[in-house]
Amino acid sequence: MITNQIAELTQYLQALSKKQLRQHITIAIAGVAVLAFSISYYIYYESSTLVAQLKKLNTTTNKIALITAQNEALQQEEIKIKAILNANPNFNMSTYFERFYTKHAIKPEPNWKPEEGAIIESTQEGIKYQEILLQATFKNQTMQKLVTLLQDIYQEPIIYLKALEVSSSPNRTISFELTLATKQYKREVVEE
């Protein structure tokens, strides 16, 4: 069957004049060129689409890896916070601060008192933390005293330094405002 069709095609081409044969060959070459161009364009379009999808997927993968790493770090931090809070269940920011400034023989400016800060969600359901902030200003101090205070703060695991503002005074002393913070379990008020 195929041999018959090839034979018929051969007879047809032999019966054509040179001009008609050139036309048929030109049409065949043009058809093959258009087909090759179309296939090349399709492959280029599909591959560029796939490359764009791969780049987007890679970006998303990097974001997921970053979020996963942050989540693991936050879980480790939460474990550390739980251990600290469980080791100090009766910790009180006011009592700590009074002992702190008495120990260092300095007196803060009046009107310092602990305030409730942000509520922090736990990775475990039903547990929330409350940040407790204490802002105090100390005037006419030395840089050495500030360094000593900061070293003492960094040695206490339940307290951390949230902010520090230092300003110089004309009499070669400094004034600084400490913002100390701690976390505690947020107690939910249950209404009956």
Side-chain angles (χ1 to χ4, degrees):
M1 176 152 206
I2 293 179
T3 54
N4 290 341
Q5 289 179 346
I6 292 175
E8 287 177 18
L9 181 62
T10 306
Q11 286 177 357
Y12 175 74
L13 291 175
Q14 287 176 348
L16 294 175
S17 66
K18 282 187 174 185
K19 185 177 179 182
Q20 290 174 330
L21 184 62
R22 277 190 217 139
Q23 286 176 346
H24 281 66
I25 291 174
T26 304
I27 290 171
I29 291 173
V32 169
V34 168
L35 183 64
F37 176 75
S38 298
I39 290 171
S40 297
Y41 180 76
Y42 175 77
I43 291 171
Y44 169 76
Y45 176 78
E46 286 297 316
S47 65
S48 64
T49 302
L50 290 174
V51 166
Q53 288 175 349
L54 282 174
K55 286 180 181 178
K56 187 176 179 182
L57 185 61
N58 189 33
T59 302
T60 304
T61 303
N62 290 340
K63 286 179 183 178
I64 289 170
L66 179 63
I67 290 170
T68 302
Q70 288 174 339
N71 184 43
E72 289 174 10
L74 288 174
Q75 285 178 341
Q76 292 300 319
E77 182 71 20
E78 186 173 348
I79 290 169
K80 181 179 156 186
I81 290 169
K82 278 184 176 180
I84 291 170
L85 293 177
N86 292 337
N88 301 292
N90 298 323
F91 179 79
N92 182 296
M93 181 67 103
S94 295
T95 307
Y96 166 80
F97 189 65
E98 288 169 357
R99 278 193 322 251
F100 175 77
Y101 72 74
T102 303
K103 172 184 172 184
H104 292 284
I106 59 173
K107 187 84 172 157
E109 293 295 308
N111 299 329
W112 61 267
K113 75 174 199 181
E115 297 175 2
E116 292 183 351
I119 295 175
I120 303 159
E121 292 288 331
S122 171
T123 57
Q124 295 178 358
E125 198 168 319
I127 298 177
K128 292 182 182 179
Y129 300 98
Q130 177 81 50
E131 188 173 50
I132 305 298
L133 303 170
L134 188 139
Q135 200 170 40
T137 304
F138 298 91
K139 293 187 177 178
N140 299 321
Q141 300 296 321
T142 64
M143 188 59 82
Q144 179 61 39
K145 184 58 103 174
L146 175 59
V147 170
T148 305
L149 293 174
L150 292 176
Q151 287 173 338
D152 195 26
I153 290 168
Y154 289 131
Q155 289 178 356
E156 184 65 45
I158 199 163
I159 296 291
Y160 56 94
L161 183 65
K162 184 83 172 183
L164 173 65
E165 288 186 35
V166 180
S167 58
S168 62
S169 300
N171 57 355
R172 299 182 52 107
T173 61
I174 61 169
S175 296
F176 54 89
E177 181 177 88
L178 290 173
T179 303
L180 301 176
T182 188
K183 291 182 177 70
Q184 68 181 17
Y185 288 113
K186 174 71 175 163
R187 311 267 191 274
E188 294 293 325
V189 178
V190 179
E191 294 182 20
E192 296 180 32

